Amino acid sequence: MNFPIPTLKDVAAAAGVSVSTASRALAGNPVISQETRDRVQQRAIDLNYRPNAQARALRSSRTNIIGVAIPSLVNPFFAEMAAAIQLEATSQGFSTIISSTSEDPAQLSDSLEVLADLRVDGILAVPYRGTEKVLTELQESGLPVVLVDRELPGTDLVTVASDPGPSLKAAVAHLAKLGHLPVGYLSGPMNTSTGSRRLAAFLTACRELGLPEQPVYRGGYDREEGYRGTGQLIDGGVRSIIAGDTMMSIGALEACHARGVAIGRDLALIGYDDHPVLRLQACPVSVIDQQVAELGRTAFHLLFELIAGASPPASVHTPSTLIIRPSSNFTSPAKEATS
Amino acid sequence: MNFPIPTLKDVAAAAGVSVSTASRALAGNPVISQETRDRVQQRAIDLNYRPNAQARALRSSRTNIIGVAIPSLVNPFFAEMAAAIQLEATSQGFSTIISSTSEDPAQLSDSLEVLADLRVDGILAVPYRGTEKVLTELQESGLPVVLVDRELPGTDLVTVASDPGPSLKAAVAHLAKLGHLPVGYLSGPMNTSTGSRRLAAFLTACRELGLPEQPVYRGGYDREEGYRGTGQLIDGGVRSIIAGDTMMSIGALEACHARGVAIGRDLALIGYDDHPVLRLQACPVSVIDQQVAELGRTAFHLLFELIAGASPPASVHTPSTLIIRPSSNFTSPAKEATS
């Protein structure tokens, strides 16, 4: 008979402590009380737990902590990403510390210094243009780095980002089929890879669906831009709007509420990212869902492989999907009124 | 003439780096490039910057990093609190690292170990029952600790929490004046100081306003409880609901949308915390606003005083206010229909 080989998780469960406490206890870390260290070591003996010697040698120089640098705590897309990363890291015995970098390259450089100073085992970062050098240097100094959400041209850092193509095409096709043309697109900034990739995907989708040029508002990733752009697109006569990120989606919602535009009747709206504000409306809003939990999990696993010394692929694209809700799922009336 | 004494901030600005980079550069930290170290040191000489010798001696043993342990990244109340703390910390030359503890005492203990391991200069924590010992021991080991949002009876740790009394009384008075009685209260769990203090404040408000006993749903801080409680209170015939926290407020909103109850017409609703979901409705929802930015700022300043060796007061209560919006600001019709 084969009994399953006991893992650190089994030892932790038997001792009634977390995986990271068990790891520290077995390493003899003095932060753990003597009593706990004794108990964990006894359970490890009871269970005949034998950590792979090589893995343990490797681990002894580790802190079992990863650092996560996100642009904002208040943007729920990044908050959920960090939460998903943490959940996955915890299950592998890693603690997670988070640093918020305020969409500011200087602050990201600063955060990276702090995290490196703290001797984390690896870093997951949402990058900005202008941080290519510091991120590459970190990686070259031997600290594993994985980029999340945004790509950074000019580097060969491992990157995980969602693919906007299929879901944006599905969104445009859905709106066109129900007569919600013209469709206006609220574009993010061109100095982020997500901003430029999504706009390109929108334009490609229109072309592939045989539509003439549709109106685009070129903005930035904030509510004010979403609000302003929505006003301009509505004044320009669109019947539907696709917003290019969470914050612009919320701005679009605010603009509709402020103007008394009934979403799901006067205007079809599709947001980006499944933010609670969009879901929890009297008329729930359709969204392009980046499946942020999957993005976070994938990113952690690539970092984990790098920490373990493997060479993961250079770039991974995770899927995004269109979630259709009442805000867009109706037929535009009075097509005949347009000349 | 008196010229203002140059500060580290002035040196940082002159060198075009952040305050924490300037601090590390002057300390000769090798994480900072030689070029930046030279530039910062030259600017310090140019400006005749003379750090107080005693303060510098003290600082050299510091990391200039504070740790913040919050229960959830995804709950925007805590995300905004952490963001406010970070903003204030940055302005004082401190970096902030954040740890999420998932409403789990064991995970908080673990996070505190990690933060102490990393030699942060001080910790701001949202505490749970069951973590009295570890928090007290940390403080006794010489690491400054300040509790935020929730009090922890049985400890003498410095605590900052908002006072629910005046704003809950204002909310009940507002609802009673407009005929929205009975008012149902969605109460949080009794094993948190906020849960028990807010319920006590609601009951006191009703008594002081001369109202008979009003219905209370005793729940927990999550959306499911808010949803379930709202259903029960509506079935019980209330005309208005006050929710006891952010997540229950969102659950109440979902329950109303799902039942087709028109907030601001069929039911008066007052939420807790100024969450975007509540603000960004077609009928915006009144809230009790804890002014979380003020809470975070106050907490950082108390921690800063502790780090500097001062003895701040044992407990600070920050104000909360009632923000009236259309969800409650109407007159309940058909009072004569009730017998």
Side-chain angles (χ1 to χ4, degrees), chain B residues 37-48:
Chain B
R37 264 147 56 193
D38 290 348
R39 191 171 73 248
V40 173
Q41 272 152 11
Q42 190 54 51
R43 293 294 171 280
I45 293 166
D46 297 347
L47 288 169
N48 200 22

Side-chain angles (χ1 to χ4, degrees), chain A residues 136-195:
Chain A
T136 303
E137 283 174 0
L138 264 189
Q139 167 96 329
E140 283 167 358
S141 78
L143 183 62
V145 174
V146 170
L147 306 186
V148 202
D149 183 46
R150 300 177 190 170
E151 294 163 84
L152 203 54
T155 74
D156 57 357
L157 294 162
V158 177
T159 304
V160 185
S162 81
D163 179 3
S167 52
L168 264 169
K169 187 170 179 186
V172 175
H174 162 71
L175 294 172
K177 189 177 146 209
L178 293 170
H180 303 317
L181 295 180
V183 46
Y185 180 67
L186 293 171
S187 170
M190 291 303 102
N191 65 350
T192 65
S193 68
T194 48

Side-chain angles (χ1 to χ4, degrees), chain A residues 66-72 77-78 81-82 85 96-101 104-105 107-109 111-113 115 120 122-129 131-132 134-136 138-139 143-152 155 157-161 193 295-296 299-300 303 306:
Chain A
I66 60 161
V68 177
I70 55 174
S72 161
F77 176 73
F78 295 115
M81 178 193 291
I85 291 168
T96 305
I97 55 176
I98 293 149
S99 181
S100 166
T101 62
D104 175 2
Q107 214 167 319
L108 174 56
S109 297
S111 287
L112 293 170
E113 275 168 23
L115 293 171
V120 295
I123 291 178
L124 290 165
V126 179
Y128 313 121
R129 299 268 162 95
T131 59
E132 291 83 355
V134 59
L135 283 160
T136 303
L138 264 189
Q139 167 96 329
L143 183 62
V145 174
V146 170
L147 306 186
V148 202
D149 183 46
R150 300 177 190 170
E151 294 163 84
L152 203 54
T155 74
L157 294 162
V158 177
T159 304
V160 185
S193 68
L295 195 65
F300 174 77
L303 183 66
L306 278 180

